[in-house]
Amino acid sequence: MSSLTNHTIETPNERQNRHKAMEAIKVLNTLREGFKTPPNAMEYFYNLFEEVYCNQKALHCDKVKVGTMCIQIPSEIIYALDGVPIRLCNGFYADDEIGSDLLPQKACPLVKASVGHLASKNVIDKPDMIYSPTTCDQKTKAGSIIESFGYEVVDVAFPRTKESEISREYFRRSIREFSADLSSKMGKKLSRKNLKAAISKIGYAQSLYHKLSEFRKNRAVPILGNDMFLVTNAFFFDKIDNWIAACEKLVSELEQRVQNAVHVAGKVSPRIVYTGSPPIFPNYKVPLIIEDSDAIIVADETCSSNRMFNDRVAVDEWFVNDMIDSLADKYLKACTCPVFTKNDDRIRRIIELVRSHNADGVIYQAFAGCTVYELEQRSVLEAMEREGISILYIESDYSPSQQGQLSTRVEAFVESLKIKNRNKK
Amino acid sequence: MKRKIQNFINNINLLKVRFWIQLTTFILFVYGGYFAIDFGSKLPMFTCPYNTQSAGTCYLLPLQHQLAMPAQILLGGAGIGVLIGLLTFVFWFIFLNKAWCGYACPIGTFQDWLTGLRKTLGIRYSTYTQNQFEKLSKIKYILLAIVILVPLLIGVGAIGNDWSAAFCKICPARMISPMFSGDFSQWVIDFSTTTAIVLTALGMIFSALFLVGSFVKKRFFCFFCPMSALHFIFSKFAIVQLRKDGSKCTKCGDCYSVCDMQIKDIADDVTSTNILRDDCILCLKCVAACPEDDVLHFDILNFKAFSSTKEGFEKRMGMEKPKGAFDE
Ligand code: SF4
Ligand code: SF4
Ligand code: SF4
Ligand code: SF4
């Protein structure tokens, strides 16, 4: 860099940061100001995202950062070994564009963005190693591409049928291997004590999520679906103790709101269950359109939210190996990821969420290029029809351009739900 | 108020409660004889009378004796006696269903204590593969067939009297139970006839297997227990039941991973309401480990006496707010 002139040319990294900051702040400002009365406790999360994505603040300088490509890597084990899990799923259009040069045109934007982000080498809290479960084709292949950028990537074999006993055994072994590998890299042993403590801590974090979800079952919904996505999204990278403390505050504030019957949507706003490809910050395009169209998301079935927290680990005898096996079971058996052969469980989960949250309809979003969600669309639509549940299927990507067309479709769907509700009365 | 009581029950520490119930029933049934307590001879569990202090008798012994009566007598008036015996057995059974196994049977409790010993020593349990499980769990029906058919064969004179109470000769409880009151005299091989030698030798082998097996494998013997097979025939009529609401089940497998009997259906079957399987000992550990509200429940008639709840789960698994850890 020349010192002769103050006039500096923006480097590609700076440009990327600037674009990302713009994407981030746009969403954060909408959440802060675009809706009526966000809970005060949300301020923590807005600031967190602003710090990390607009000001490039690193959170874990003193810790070993363990990148994960999907939710099937047990964070309990990473915490027990004193690492910090960083989920690498990415939602930035700026990163998606970088990734587009490295992956096929028709690939999933989430995978492109995740790859693009790592390819840029411009990574805050850069992972010291990455574990990549072999879930969908694109994520599976992404691992080796990322490796070519100089990251240490370890594949974690993941079966795609979950009913069979062979799969259970297979994934248990896979997770045992993962634990051994991480343990040797960290130079620390898993012990009954550290693993149990990590399981309890994550379990407690999950219980907070469950409490938050419970509030959304009420007639008066105290928190927006978009805010909830932000909360769960923060779990991807935040310091867990801070996250827990912030959620505790949110829980007590919402408790109060429920007592006062504070409702963040309109009186007749239809209640929506959101499913499909995960909204990952700042790609809240579809959820924002939904809640902008006078509907409210009361629950979701996505891997950036519900699927991360819903299922719990139970252990009978608290030995290290039992805990590892139980963890493996939880991350495989309860998972409703669409990569599996059959997916009755996902359908049952959606129906259960609709019933328990008294929802009026389901919105199913798939990223163009996210083959598994696209493939599963049919069976889910059929099942919803059988159950008499209204559902809208939409395809989207990370580009800011299609907004208008999506809004029209969502608004029409929301309108139809309102009419249905009126006729019911 | 009702709600409060329900919450209290759903939040209990099941393992502790169960331990104390088992200890109490163990003392009652194994040493009740010292206090002249007698529950009769048709008990639906292995309260083995070879232990002279038992407060009752395992039904399999009188059943074998009754069925071994000469055929003409059995088909005549004595058949009524067999029927009354069976009815008495069923009468006891319907109160607790298979919870006789999970909460009262001394042989079951003893296995749990061996498990406890293993745990204290820090040794991990073993399991069967699903394949082994499916094959092995049929053995109890073969043993039940021995309990019923061998005496009938004696009755029609097809085999000799040295086959009398053949199952008891190979039953590990015959050797184990008397040990509870310090009597080791059953640990001998009866050399009177070839049949006796074979049967008592088998009994000794099974007893040794019992001790080793239950040490490494939770409820090792219950897999093979003919009493459990007999229970299952009547289990539908019991007033307590294990039920499931599959629509809310996430198939997380938590229930399965704590089940001593490795019952897969408990997690994977989301359509049956009655989820009690033939191997089940109605220990209710699955209900305690299920993290979903009201998915698994233990019913007395149609009243949910103990249900799975999120809150109860969190309490039992130690997932409540860690003390002092997260103060800002
Ligand atoms: S199955 Fe086990 S607990 Fe039940 S009667 Fe047999 S030995 Fe006893
Ligand atoms: S030996 Fe076994 S079957 Fe016979 S009475 Fe004793 S416990 Fe029952
Ligand atoms: S623990 Fe509960 S939710 Fe999980 S599989 Fe068993 S019954 Fe279903
Ligand atoms: S199914 Fe449940 S009650 Fe039956 S043995 Fe297994 S854990 Fe116990």
Side-chain angles (χ1 to χ4, degrees):
Chain A
M1 199 107 342
S2 144
S3 58
L4 294 175
T5 160
N6 305 331
H7 197 83
T8 49
I9 295 169
E10 191 178 41
T11 65
N13 278 357
E14 281 164 359
R15 203 174 72 106
Q16 185 192 6
N17 287 346
R18 183 168 54 80
H19 281 180
K20 286 172 78 168
M22 270 159 44
E23 287 181 51
I25 202 71
K26 195 173 150 215
V27 171
L28 291 174
N29 283 345
T30 316
L31 289 175
R32 274 182 173 128
E33 287 143 23
F35 296 93
K36 69 179 192 194
T37 54
N40 294 327
M42 280 308 295
E43 214 32 59
Y44 168 83
F45 295 98
Y46 301 147
N47 290 337
L48 173 74
F49 278 82
E50 189 169 339
E51 284 294 315
V52 171
Y53 291 113
C54 301
N55 305 335
Q56 273 74 45
K57 182 179 162 190
L59 298 175
H60 308 287
C61 303
D62 50 336
K63 291 261 183 183
V64 178
K65 289 159 292 264
V66 181
T68 61
M69 295 285 289
C70 268
I71 52 172
Q72 291 84 356
I73 304 296
S75 46
E76 291 88 342
I77 293 174
I78 301 177
Y79 280 122
L81 292 172
D82 249 350
V84 183
I86 306 275
R87 172 126 168 243
L88 297 169
C89 295
N90 189 307
F92 282 92
Y93 180 55
D95 290 332
D96 174 21
E97 279 190 306
I98 302 174
S100 293
D101 296 336
L102 301 158
L103 292 173
Q105 198 50 54
K106 286 194 174 148
C108 164
L110 189 158
V111 180
K112 283 194 278 188
S114 310
V115 170
H117 177 218
L118 294 167
S120 72
K121 304 267 165 77
N122 179 19
V123 181
I124 347 149
D125 279 325
K126 187 164 170 254
D128 298 290
M129 63 201 92
I130 295 173
Y131 288 93
S132 166
T134 55
T135 50
C136 72
D137 289 353
Q138 301 187 40
K139 283 268 178 101
T140 303
K141 300 301 283 180
S144 58
I145 298 173
I146 291 166
E147 193 164 35
S148 71
F149 309 145
Y151 292 91
E152 180 174 5
V153 178
V154 183
D155 292 325
V156 177
F158 183 75
R160 288 209 201 159
T161 40
K162 63 170 177 174
E163 279 78 15
S164 72
E165 209 41 41
I166 302 173
S167 293
R168 185 200 300 273
E169 228 0 88
Y170 178 88
F171 196 55
R172 282 181 169 189
R173 281 198 205 169
S174 194
I175 290 301
R176 263 176 248 162
E177 204 143 282
F178 155 75
S179 316
D181 186 71
L182 186 64
S183 163
S184 77
K185 287 193 172 112
M186 305 289 291
K188 190 175 170 172
K189 273 220 155 71
L190 279 178
S191 70
R192 278 171 81 160
K193 215 170 142 209
N194 63 24
L195 190 51
K196 185 167 184 197
I199 290 177
S200 303
K201 192 183 264 196
I202 301 282
Y204 178 60
Q206 286 179 300
S207 75
L208 292 171
Y209 168 81
H210 280 276
K211 288 208 177 91
L212 294 173
S213 304
E214 207 57 34
F215 296 142
R216 300 162 84 196
K217 290 182 179 167
N218 290 309
R219 264 189 83 104
V221 187
I223 185 168
L224 283 182
N226 276 285
D227 280 337
M228 275 303 289
F229 278 129
L230 204 68
V231 171
T232 54
N233 215 158
F235 199 74
F236 282 28
F237 58 84
D238 197 9
K239 288 188 174 151
I240 182 157
D241 291 354
N242 293 358
W243 188 91
I244 285 176
C247 277
E248 282 175 339
K249 279 204 188 117
L250 188 58
V251 166
S252 53
E253 188 177 348
L254 295 196
E255 224 156 35
Q256 204 54 51
R257 281 189 164 203
V258 166
Q259 271 172 23
N260 303 338
V262 176
H263 186 40
V264 292
K267 243 202 191 127
V268 292
S269 306
R271 303 163 67 93
I272 303 291
V273 169
Y274 184 100
T275 182
S277 306
I280 289 168
F281 186 83
N283 173 44
Y284 287 180
K285 192 156 82 176
V286 177
L288 278 173
I289 290 177
I290 295 172
E291 297 196 324
D292 260 338
S293 312
D294 194 25
I296 173 133
I297 299 171
V298 288
D300 73 274
E301 189 285 311
T302 66
C303 62
S304 59
S305 191
N306 176 290
R307 208 178 295 154
M308 266 199 308
F309 293 97
N310 193 68
D311 305 303
R312 321 292 295 264
V313 183
V315 185
D316 187 29
E317 299 182 2
W318 294 84
F319 294 124
V320 171
N321 286 321
D322 291 305
M323 292 188 245
I324 294 179
D325 284 357
S326 287
L327 283 164
D329 281 5
K330 178 215 124 169
Y331 281 91
L332 172 72
K333 300 298 279 188
C335 187
T336 48
C337 178
V339 295
F340 294 115
T341 45
K342 271 184 273 181
N343 213 354
D344 302 344
D345 290 347
R346 178 166 169 237
I347 291 171
R348 287 189 315 111
R349 174 83 52 90
I350 300 172
I351 296 172
E352 206 282 309
L353 287 171
V354 170
R355 304 268 182 260
S356 61
H357 288 73
N358 229 324
D360 303 302
V362 176
I363 293 184
Y364 184 142
Q365 180 222 216
F367 294 143
C370 173
T371 341
V372 278
Y373 273 115
E374 290 172 327
L375 281 166
E376 228 166 58
Q377 180 241 124
R378 242 181 89 98
S379 60
V380 173
L381 258 55
E382 276 169 13
M384 293 306 127
E385 200 162 304
R386 263 200 314 275
E387 295 288 321
I389 297 169
S390 310
I391 180 166
L392 171 72
Y393 173 71
I394 41 184
E395 241 176 51
S396 80
D397 56 27
Y398 280 12
S399 80
S401 62
Q402 352 145 264
Q403 210 87 4
Q405 182 227 346
L406 282 176
S407 306
T408 322
R409 293 196 54 203
V410 171
E411 273 163 21
F413 180 66
V414 172
E415 253 345 280
S416 78
L417 293 179
K418 282 186 187 163
I419 293 171
K420 231 191 208 165
N421 279 348
R422 226 175 294 143
N423 292 346
K424 251 190 268 168
K425 282 173 200 156
Chain B
M1 186 62 192
K2 199 178 143 206
R3 252 242 120 96
K4 261 202 188 140
I5 297 174
Q6 236 164 8
N7 274 348
F8 175 78
I9 293 178
N10 292 341
N11 285 344
I12 56 161
N13 181 337
L14 182 84
L15 295 185
K16 242 194 210 144
V17 171
R18 184 159 168 248
F19 174 82
W20 288 107
I21 296 180
Q22 283 182 305
L23 183 67
T24 314
T25 52
F26 189 89
I27 294 172
L28 178 65
F29 289 112
V30 174
Y31 303 112
Y34 288 115
F35 311 103
I37 299 171
D38 188 5
F39 289 93
S41 61
K42 308 293 184 300
L43 289 180
M45 57 173 170
F46 275 13
T47 31
C48 186
Y50 288 88
N51 162 27
T52 45
Q53 302 310 331
S54 279
T57 297
C58 158
Y59 175 54
L60 297 189
L61 183 66
L63 178 67
Q64 291 176 89
H65 281 320
Q66 285 179 320
L67 293 179
M69 280 183 277
Q72 311 90 296
I73 302 182
L74 193 61
L75 292 175
I80 306 275
V82 178
L83 199 67
I84 291 174
L86 187 67
L87 285 176
T88 320
F89 164 82
V90 173
F91 167 81
W92 284 116
F93 175 74
I94 56 169
F95 285 108
L96 290 182
N97 202 346
K98 292 195 138 219
W100 283 102
C101 296
Y103 288 83
C105 173
I107 292 298
T109 302
F110 182 56
Q111 291 173 78
D112 289 341
W113 290 346
L114 288 175
T115 296
L117 177 66
R118 171 181 53 71
K119 274 205 266 190
T120 324
L121 295 176
I123 301 168
R124 210 190 163 209
Y125 63 82
S126 354
T127 49
Y128 297 129
T129 65
Q130 201 58 34
N131 228 334
Q132 292 168 323
F133 176 87
E134 264 147 36
K135 288 196 188 115
L136 292 176
S137 82
K138 294 199 183 85
I139 291 180
K140 59 179 161 304
Y141 292 101
I142 299 173
L143 292 178
L144 181 62
I146 293 179
V147 169
I148 293 169
L149 292 181
V150 170
L152 290 177
L153 289 177
I154 300 175
V156 296
I159 48 176
N161 249 331
D162 47 354
W163 283 90
S164 149
F167 178 74
C168 289
K169 297 220 166 71
I170 60 171
C171 173
R174 176 179 59 86
M175 301 181 131
I176 308 276
S177 311
M179 285 165 38
F180 299 145
S181 41
D183 170 8
F184 291 82
S185 62
Q186 292 293 328
W187 287 83
V188 287
I189 290 177
D190 176 356
F191 286 99
S192 58
T193 65
T194 332
T195 320
I197 295 175
V198 173
L199 289 176
T200 48
L202 271 178
M204 201 169 287
I205 293 170
F206 289 155
S207 303
L209 271 178
F210 173 98
L211 292 173
V212 178
S214 339
F215 184 73
V216 294
K217 170 97 183 60
K218 297 187 270 186
R219 289 280 177 142
F220 170 81
F221 176 71
C222 294
F223 265 114
F224 310 116
C225 180
M227 182 67 90
S228 162
L230 188 62
H231 281 174
F232 192 56
I233 301 172
F234 303 101
S235 110
K236 272 193 286 305
F237 308 110
I239 56 175
V240 298
Q241 293 291 345
L242 181 64
R243 298 208 175 98
K244 176 168 178 179
D245 172 4
S247 70
K248 288 188 281 184
C249 166
T250 62
K251 285 207 206 153
C252 64
D254 283 359
C255 49
Y256 170 75
S257 71
V258 302
C259 175
D260 292 352
M261 305 306 291
Q262 283 188 261
I263 294 169
K264 217 174 161 219
D265 273 3
I266 192 77
D268 289 358
D269 184 336
V270 291
T271 46
S272 313
T273 316
N274 180 349
I275 202 73
L276 192 94
R277 295 295 175 259
D278 58 350
D279 292 303
C280 180
I281 53 172
L282 212 57
C283 63
L284 305 182
K285 277 169 79 180
C286 51
V287 182
C290 173
E292 300 294 325
D293 288 330
D294 277 333
V295 170
L296 292 175
H297 40 96
F298 171 70
D299 291 5
I300 302 178
L301 293 170
N302 279 328
F303 171 74
K304 287 181 191 165
F306 179 51
S307 295
S308 61
T309 58
K310 283 187 179 146
E311 198 188 322
F313 171 87
E314 284 155 14
K315 281 220 160 77
R316 285 181 286 261
M317 292 293 159
M319 286 167 183
E320 292 177 295
K321 184 180 169 67
K323 276 176 204 90
F326 303 111
D327 302 329
E328 310 120 63

